Amino acid sequence: MPLANVRNIGIMAHIDAGKTTLTERVLYYTGVSYRLGEVHEGTATMDWMEQEQERGITITSAATTCFWRDHRINIIDTPGHVDFTAEVERSLRVLDGAVAVFCAVGGVQSQSETVWRQAKKYNIPVLAFVNKMDRVGANFQTVVDEIRDKLSATPVPIQIPMGAEDNFNGVIDVVADDAVFYDVDESGKEYRRGAIPAELADVAKEAREHLIECLAETDDHIMEAFLNEESLDVETLRESLRRATVAGDIVPVTCGTAFKNKGVQTLIDAVVEYLPSPLDIWDIKGIDPATEEPMTRHVGDSQPFAALAFKVVSDPYAGKLVYFRVYSGKATQGMTVHNPRTGKRERFGRLLQMHANHREERDTIFSGDIAAAVGIKDVTTGDTLCNAGAPIVLESVTFPDPVISMAIEPKSSAERDKLFYALDQLAQEDPTFKVRTNPETGQTIVSAMGELHLEILRDRLFREFKVDASVGRPQVAYREYLLQEADADAKFVRQTGGRGQYGHAVIHVTPMDRGHGVTVENNVKGGNIPKDYIPSVEQGIREAADSGVLAGFPMIDFHAAIVDGSYHSVDSSEIAFKAAGSMAFKQAAQKSGIAIQEPVMKVEVTTPEDHLGDVIGDLSSRRGQVSEIDSRTDAVVILASVPLAEIFGYATALRSLTKGRAVFVAELSHFGPVPQEIQQEILESRK
């Protein structure tokens, strides 16, 4: 397939906007599947995990390939639930374009904003699809306005609906200036194009004028024609629209109802016509692993091989599967590649074209394609695989830290090895799943992004890996924070019969703004601490910060400056300076004063209006602060900040408060100070 005819796209949206249903329709109309899979029946091709089929939600991103109008489309269906945001992040990193799905009733919701930010982070052009036009309360124009206002984008409708709710029967193609009717058969496979109904002629004309005005702002040729009131042919408009979309200047908006099989084929047409091919992402940016200087690589099968591993999966039959996107060159079975992170060489075993959990063997994977490999051992998410003779490190993927933890223990010594093997496999698959041992209690602690995330991982341990283990109730991952600037002067001196140990460090610590992280700077003058020992002092500071000073929680958001010290020509060593750095930081922290901070969640509750008072009262009792109340057609949306510690069990409480009629989503917003009385309780529990 020529590179110009390849599309790598992701389907992204808020939970329950209809991503998986839309993907199922795309697979049906492109001939990949012979029947329509339904999420609510547990028969969706892309939701292949047992947990996905039982809950009716997408948990893991699934890749597949289909063909449309002589184009190859590689699709990744991503989760909508905030607990699985890492799946969206790593999928978007390797895609060239995305389809953002919006509910015609719900509009732009909280997770819509999160995935939009992720797409913008990687400069991914986006095509919008307003789904569920058949639902009561559907309003196409409201969603377009929300995309403009809430996402700061420039939405341009290239299709507008004919009717809404029960009367939705097709779309007007603004570019082609005709109408698409879905009244031929219920499956939506057959449809017809015809003249725009007379009662919608003015609306269609206005939409076309708006499209041309928006394109005129980005295209001089269109501007000239617009000013001279010349008519523009369809092909000229499409070419201009494609350039503006690929550049990220506008967001074309389409509409339909995936569940009722309307508007899907016109969306696939728009994907082919307006979203970029790998050729449009011509310059692949990376760094030289030897010099760390920026460098570029170009797309093409004849270029040196470079690929990014974006997902690792433990397959019960094939073993370790590594999903990768080929940016340049091509991959062949048995080929040896270089991993700059480890400095090791890896050998491709079998190469697989994935279709959800089904696979098809391939001899060669060409530039621009997404596939999976068996036989690679020491590779993790975000690793670059490249030609050893032309090394390059591509931009990796960054993930948020987990915010919720629980203890897990094997029920017998025989289960111990099985448990640690299973935890290791899950940690390799999921970069936001962390495993550690509590040095005080010896307990194994697992951390994840939310209650649902922990629940799914626990379920997989029992079902997939057949591990018999006991789990504790989830715990909050607190953090410690410095209150003011402080200095410390620490000496580590040990004298024994032979050579002793001597390290001396003077440091200054400063609390920083939220999100700063931990930074260490060397300000030592005159060689009072030899340069060889500075990294040891820094390591001591960082390790002390990781293990905490007040209650054993990691210290965040501070800057430490190493300002002075001294050394002994015989007794000084790296170990001694590391110990001095650790002691100095603990002293400085005690002088500064320490506060405990807790993860605060951004919570969005959608509830019928008659339960509004009860829901707000309950949020207040959970130390929640309501920031916004937004009335929708059939419900009220409440935005609030609530500490994670108060969110445990909220799903059950909300169901009983509203008789099961309200839903909520929560995502990490920031770390905020814990009230003094609660801090005292935490300290008491840690003794």
Side-chain angles (χ1 to χ4, degrees):
M1 185 65 68
L3 272 174
N5 289 17
V6 174
R7 301 287 181 272
N8 290 312
I9 65 160
I11 313 286
M12 62 180 199
H14 182 87
I15 190 167
D16 206 29
K19 296 176 301 302
T20 304
T21 302
L22 174 62
T23 311
E24 292 299 317
R25 297 313 187 259
V26 171
L27 296 181
Y28 178 66
Y29 297 134
T30 55
V32 174
S33 54
Y34 60 89
R35 62 175 176 79
L36 287 167
E38 300 294 2
V39 174
H40 59 278
E41 292 173 3
T43 57
T45 308
M46 304 302 273
D47 284 351
W48 55 270
M49 288 173 66
E50 286 179 41
Q51 292 87 347
E52 291 178 318
Q53 291 167 0
E54 289 170 359
R55 288 172 167 81
I57 61 169
T58 302
I59 293 166
T60 182
S61 53
T64 190
T65 298
C66 61
F67 296 87
W68 184 258
R69 286 172 39 190
D70 297 326
H71 284 68
R72 177 196 190 93
I73 306 175
N74 297 316
I75 302 174
I76 297 183
D77 175 32
T78 65
H81 198 286
V82 68
D83 281 17
F84 310 108
T85 188
E87 283 288 307
V88 185
E89 182 87 21
R90 61 181 173 189
S91 300
L92 288 174
R93 168 62 188 87
V94 296
L95 294 169
D96 301 326
V99 175
V101 183
F102 299 94
C103 172
V105 181
V108 175
Q109 296 162 285
S110 59
Q111 192 62 9
S112 313
E113 296 182 44
T114 303
V115 296
W116 194 273
R117 281 197 305 272
Q118 289 171 311
K120 292 296 125 189
K121 177 180 172 182
Y122 297 115
N123 295 318
I124 292 175
V126 179
L127 180 69
F129 179 69
V130 180
N131 192 24
K132 303 191 179 184
M133 283 302 305
D134 59 310
R135 272 188 57 189
V136 175
N139 190 317
F140 177 75
Q141 191 55 49
T142 299
V143 180
V144 173
D145 293 341
E146 286 189 5
I147 294 173
R148 180 184 300 105
D149 299 338
K150 292 187 177 181
L151 303 178
S152 303
T154 307
V156 180
I158 59 170
Q159 292 170 13
I160 52 175
M162 290 193 288
E165 302 178 356
D166 288 344
N167 298 320
F168 176 69
N169 61 5
V171 298
I172 292 172
D173 187 331
V174 176
V175 181
D177 206 18
D178 63 6
V180 181
F181 299 91
Y182 286 89
D183 53 8
V184 182
D185 73 324
E186 278 193 16
S187 75
K189 218 163 190 180
E190 300 294 326
Y191 58 93
R192 62 185 176 88
R193 282 186 177 266
I196 296 169
E199 66 273 15
L200 294 172
D202 290 343
V203 179
K205 185 182 177 187
E206 192 180 315
R208 192 174 171 86
E209 285 172 357
H210 176 65
L211 166 66
I212 293 169
E213 280 176 33
C214 291
L215 290 178
E217 291 178 18
T218 66
D219 190 315
D220 291 342
H221 174 65
I222 302 287
M223 174 65 85
E224 193 178 322
F226 175 67
L227 293 174
N228 295 332
E229 297 185 2
E230 296 172 9
S231 61
L232 289 157
D233 63 87
V234 173
E235 207 48 51
T236 303
L237 280 178
R238 282 187 179 143
E239 286 171 9
S240 177
L241 188 54
R242 187 173 199 280
R243 284 193 296 273
T245 306
V246 171
D249 294 331
I250 66 169
V251 177
V253 185
T254 63
C255 62
T257 164
F259 183 57
K260 294 289 179 66
N261 314 316
K262 294 173 184 174
V264 178
Q265 293 97 325
T266 47
L267 170 67
I268 314 173
D269 286 338
V271 165
V272 164
E273 283 158 1
Y274 308 123
L275 287 182
S277 74
L279 285 177
D280 293 303
I281 322 294
W282 180 245
D283 283 332
I284 301 149
K285 292 180 172 58
I287 60 169
D288 187 323
T291 63
E292 296 196 356
E293 291 293 318
M295 63 186 297
T296 54
R297 187 68 50 84
H298 297 306
V299 177
D301 296 339
S302 59
Q303 297 287 322
F305 178 74
L308 187 76
F310 68 95
K311 182 170 175 168
V312 178
V313 175
S314 298
D315 189 280
Y317 306 107
K320 186 175 177 179
L321 272 182
V322 176
Y323 284 72
F324 63 96
R325 154 79 189 267
V326 180
Y327 281 93
S328 63
K330 54 188 179 184
T332 54
Q333 286 201 22
M335 174 179 166
T336 302
V337 292
H338 173 67
N339 182 346
R341 180 183 63 84
T342 61
K344 294 179 181 175
R345 295 198 173 196
E346 299 280 355
R347 186 173 175 275
F348 284 136
R350 289 183 297 144
L351 296 175
L352 306 171
Q353 184 71 60
M354 299 303 295
H355 177 54
N357 62 329
H358 301 292
R359 54 189 72 86
E360 172 193 332
E361 285 212 28
R362 295 262 303 273
D363 295 327
T364 307
I365 305 296
F366 296 98
S367 181
D369 274 356
I370 292 172
V374 179
I376 306 179
K377 296 183 179 69
D378 193 8
V379 172
T380 61
T381 299
D383 279 357
T384 300
L385 301 171
C386 59
N387 187 320
I392 185 172
V393 177
L394 303 172
E395 182 190 354
S396 189
V397 195
T398 53
F399 298 105
D401 290 329
V403 295
I404 185 169
S405 305
M406 71 178 180
I408 185 163
E409 293 175 350
K411 286 192 175 173
S412 66
S413 55
E415 293 289 313
R416 188 176 180 80
D417 289 345
K418 275 172 68 178
L419 172 64
F420 284 110
Y421 169 77
L423 291 176
D424 180 57
Q425 295 297 306
L426 291 173
Q428 283 187 39
E429 282 188 24
D430 188 345
T432 57
F433 175 63
K434 305 288 185 191
V435 183
R436 63 184 174 87
T437 303
N438 186 319
E440 294 171 8
T441 63
Q443 279 184 311
T444 300
I445 308 294
V446 294
S447 306
M449 296 304 295
E451 271 190 290
L452 179 61
H453 193 189
L454 274 182
E455 193 181 315
I456 298 293
L457 291 164
R458 185 173 59 204
D459 199 30
R460 289 188 62 194
L461 275 177
F462 298 157
R463 285 200 207 180
E464 273 178 49
F465 296 97
K466 308 287 190 292
V467 174
D468 195 11
S470 304
V471 293
R473 70 183 294 273
Q475 301 290 322
V476 178
Y478 292 101
R479 297 286 187 267
E480 295 180 11
Y481 184 77
L482 298 174
L483 293 176
Q484 59 190 30
E485 295 185 40
D487 296 300
D489 183 335
K491 278 185 183 175
F492 178 78
V493 183
R494 294 287 183 275
Q495 201 60 52
T496 56
R499 181 181 167 183
Q501 296 282 1
Y502 181 92
H504 174 210
V506 180
I507 69 168
H508 179 81
V509 295
T510 310
M512 303 301 286
D513 292 337
R514 182 189 298 162
H516 174 84
V518 174
T519 51
V520 182
E521 181 183 10
N522 174 25
N523 287 342
V524 177
K525 301 286 191 294
N528 289 351
I529 301 177
K531 283 188 176 177
D532 291 351
Y533 294 136
I534 294 294
S536 300
V537 179
E538 180 175 342
Q539 190 182 355
I541 292 170
R542 288 185 180 276
E543 286 187 8
D546 280 345
S547 56
V549 178
L550 182 66
F553 302 119
M555 188 80 71
I556 58 167
D557 298 337
F558 70 86
H559 177 74
I562 307 166
V563 292
D564 202 2
S566 61
Y567 74 103
H568 189 282
S569 57
V570 176
D571 291 351
S572 284
S573 67
E574 291 179 357
I575 293 170
F577 273 102
K578 179 179 167 184
S582 178
M583 289 164 60
F585 178 75
K586 287 177 181 175
Q587 282 180 28
Q590 295 287 5
K591 286 182 185 175
S592 157
I594 305 164
I596 292 177
Q597 293 203 329
E598 62 184 345
V600 177
M601 311 300 281
K602 175 185 166 188
V603 178
E604 181 184 282
V605 184
T606 306
T607 176
E609 196 161 354
D610 45 345
H611 295 292
L612 179 63
D614 293 337
V615 173
I616 290 176
D618 184 59
L619 286 171
S620 300
S621 72
R622 295 171 182 271
R623 296 193 281 132
Q625 293 185 332
V626 175
S627 58
E628 193 179 323
I629 299 173
D630 184 15
S631 291
R632 296 266 166 89
T633 312
D634 57 347
V636 179
V637 177
I638 306 162
L639 287 177
S641 297
V642 187
L644 175 63
E646 306 292 343
I647 288 284
F648 293 144
Y650 184 57
T652 308
L654 186 64
R655 273 199 296 269
S656 67
L657 264 181
T658 63
K659 300 182 176 64
R661 296 171 67 197
V663 292
F664 86 101
V665 288
E667 64 177 304
L668 179 65
S669 170
H670 61 277
F671 279 85
V674 172
Q676 194 59 44
E677 65 275 12
I678 292 175
Q679 178 164 318
Q680 203 54 46
E681 287 174 19
I682 294 167
L683 292 175
E684 290 293 325
S685 70
R686 302 286 287 184
K687 285 181 181 176

